[in-house]
Amino acid sequence: MDNNLDTLFNALADPTRRAVITALLDGPAPVGVLHAPHDMALPSFLKHLKALEAGGLVTSTKTGRVRTVALQPEALRAGADWLNKHKSMWEGRIDRLERLATRMDQTKS
């Protein structure tokens, strides 16, 4: 796995970060709005946003005193592509295992 995927999946490994991604599905939001539902200090929450930015999942812009965070869906596509590739491989292996088990059952009869 390359470093970009490592960083992406690391960013998605935390429930707070996944909650932020879910909140951003409705569109960009200020940091204060994203932070409000989480019972943690703002500096701790900002570390989560930094991890999401490092994973390429979000970007932020500052206008005056307000920092707004936006989702970057193309980063999710890279992770989905990787998962789909491996899903296909495992489905193929499971299908072959099922055929083998069926043949073994038939030879026992």
Side-chain angles (χ1 to χ4, degrees):
M1 186 180 328
D2 65 43
N3 287 339
N4 291 339
L5 284 175
D6 289 347
T7 307
L8 170 74
F9 286 123
N10 180 59
L12 291 171
D14 185 273
T16 298
R17 296 179 200 143
R18 290 191 305 271
V20 169
I21 295 294
T22 300
L24 291 173
L25 292 174
D26 294 330
V31 169
V33 170
L34 294 171
H35 173 248
H38 302 283
D39 187 24
M40 67 179 66
L42 182 59
S44 296
F45 184 76
L46 292 175
K47 288 180 183 179
H48 287 289
L49 291 182
K50 184 176 180 181
L52 289 170
E53 283 189 278
L57 291 161
V58 301
T59 58
S60 65
T61 56
K62 190 171 184 180
T63 305
R65 296 183 61 155
V66 177
R67 181 165 294 283
T68 301
V69 181
L71 184 63
Q72 297 300 304
E74 60 276 358
L76 290 172
R77 272 188 225 106
D81 290 346
W82 186 88
L83 290 169
N84 285 331
K85 176 183 172 189
H86 287 81
K87 177 184 173 198
S88 297
M89 177 194 63
W90 281 107
E91 285 174 343
R93 288 181 181 184
I94 290 169
D95 290 344
R96 288 192 301 274
L97 181 59
E98 185 177 359
R99 288 192 300 271
L100 175 62
T102 300
R103 282 196 311 263
M104 290 175 73
D105 277 348
Q106 291 171 349
T107 61
K108 286 183 181 179
S109 301

